[in-house]
């Protein structure tokens, strides 16, 4: 490996790698308990929905379609992240959750990971309704038949989390590569899932823009000093 390539890898993935490695070395599996619970929940849903008695209950609590009432889709969306798509191998969903959710939980924390994942999934769900309303003629539209497509799985959340974590840890080229890959996916296979991935990325990019704007607004602001009205002594326990 050339020196330039090593330097690029260090700049691109160094902070992310060191953060994940330190957490896994010190805490091991305790570094990402939410991720392990999510993997178990995804596997459980897969087993149950493939049983004759379990398919309909899983659909009732975690299956989202664009034709569903909006309030019902909102209720089902959080669990829809963990219901594997029936037409895809379940190991893919489990690997996505374990790897991307695990890294995100270590780097962002449990609740921020869930918030970004839900935002990305919700953006995809909302786009499906908008795309069907636009119709199949435009580049952002969808055919009316997509309203009946079952929309489940962690892929939109995984894509959104990947972009967000890479941005937060300075892996900008990797984030750009994820975006380009999703664009190519839509060009090669312009289906509902691919366009929902782009919608998820768009939602996360808006979040990143808002956070960057807020961060710039706080630059140069000095913390209050003792003697000012807004200063308070540290709390002692």
């Amino acid at each position: 490996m050339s020196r330039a390539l090593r330097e690029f890898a260090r700049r691109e993935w160094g902070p992310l790698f060191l953060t994940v490695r330190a957490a896994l070395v010190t805490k091991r599996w305790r570094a990402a308990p939410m991720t392990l619970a999510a993997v178990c929940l995804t596997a459980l849903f897969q087993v149950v929905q493939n049983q004759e008695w379990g398919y309909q209950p899983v659909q009732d609590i975690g299956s989202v379609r664009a034709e569903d009432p909006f309030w019902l889709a909102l209720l089902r969306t959080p669990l829809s992240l963990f219901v594997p798509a029936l037409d895809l191998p379940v190991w893919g969903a489990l690997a996505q959750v374990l790897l991307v959710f695990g890294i995100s939980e270590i780097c962002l924390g449990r609740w921020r990971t869930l918030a970004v994942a839900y935002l990305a999934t919700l953006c995809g769900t909302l786009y499906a309704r908008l795309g069907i309303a636009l119709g199949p003629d435009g580049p952002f539209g969808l055919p009316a038949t997509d309203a009946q497509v079952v929309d489940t799985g962690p892929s939109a959340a995984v894509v959104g989390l990947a972009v967000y974590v890479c941005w937060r840890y300075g892996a900008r080229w990797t984030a750009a590569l994820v975006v380009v890959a999703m664009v190519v996916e839509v060009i090669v296979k312009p289906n509902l899932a691919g366009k929902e991935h782009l919608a998820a990325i768009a939602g996360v990019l808006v979040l990143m823009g808002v956070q960057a704007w807020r961060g710039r607004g706080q630059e140069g602001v000095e913390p209050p000093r003792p003697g000012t009205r807004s200063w308070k002594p540290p709390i002692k326990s």
Side-chain angles (χ1 to χ4, degrees), residues 98-229:
L98 181 62
L99 180 63
V100 179
F101 273 66
I103 293 174
S104 299
E105 185 176 4
I106 291 171
C107 295
L108 305 177
R110 181 184 313 164
W111 297 113
R112 182 170 294 182
T113 296
L114 288 174
V116 175
Y118 181 71
L119 171 66
T121 302
L122 184 60
C123 286
T125 298
L126 295 177
Y127 161 74
R129 295 171 179 268
L130 177 61
I132 290 168
L134 293 174
D137 297 330
F140 301 106
L142 295 168
T145 54
D146 280 351
Q148 302 172 359
V149 174
V150 176
D151 182 18
T152 60
S155 58
V158 164
V159 170
L161 282 170
V163 172
Y164 186 80
V165 171
C166 287
W167 172 72
R168 285 292 299 268
Y169 277 78
R172 306 299 169 85
W173 287 103
T174 306
L177 182 61
V178 173
V179 175
V180 171
M182 295 302 103
V183 172
V184 171
E185 177 190 17
V186 170
I187 294 174
V188 173
K189 191 176 182 180
N191 57 9
L192 173 62
K195 292 184 178 181
E196 282 191 343
H197 294 164
L198 292 184
I201 290 174
V204 171
L205 289 178
V206 171
L207 174 64
M208 290 159 48
V210 170
Q211 292 185 347
W213 174 74
R214 291 181 62 185
R216 285 197 299 269
Q218 295 174 357
E219 289 180 358
V221 178
E222 295 183 1
R225 296 187 299 273
T228 63
R229 294 182 60 186

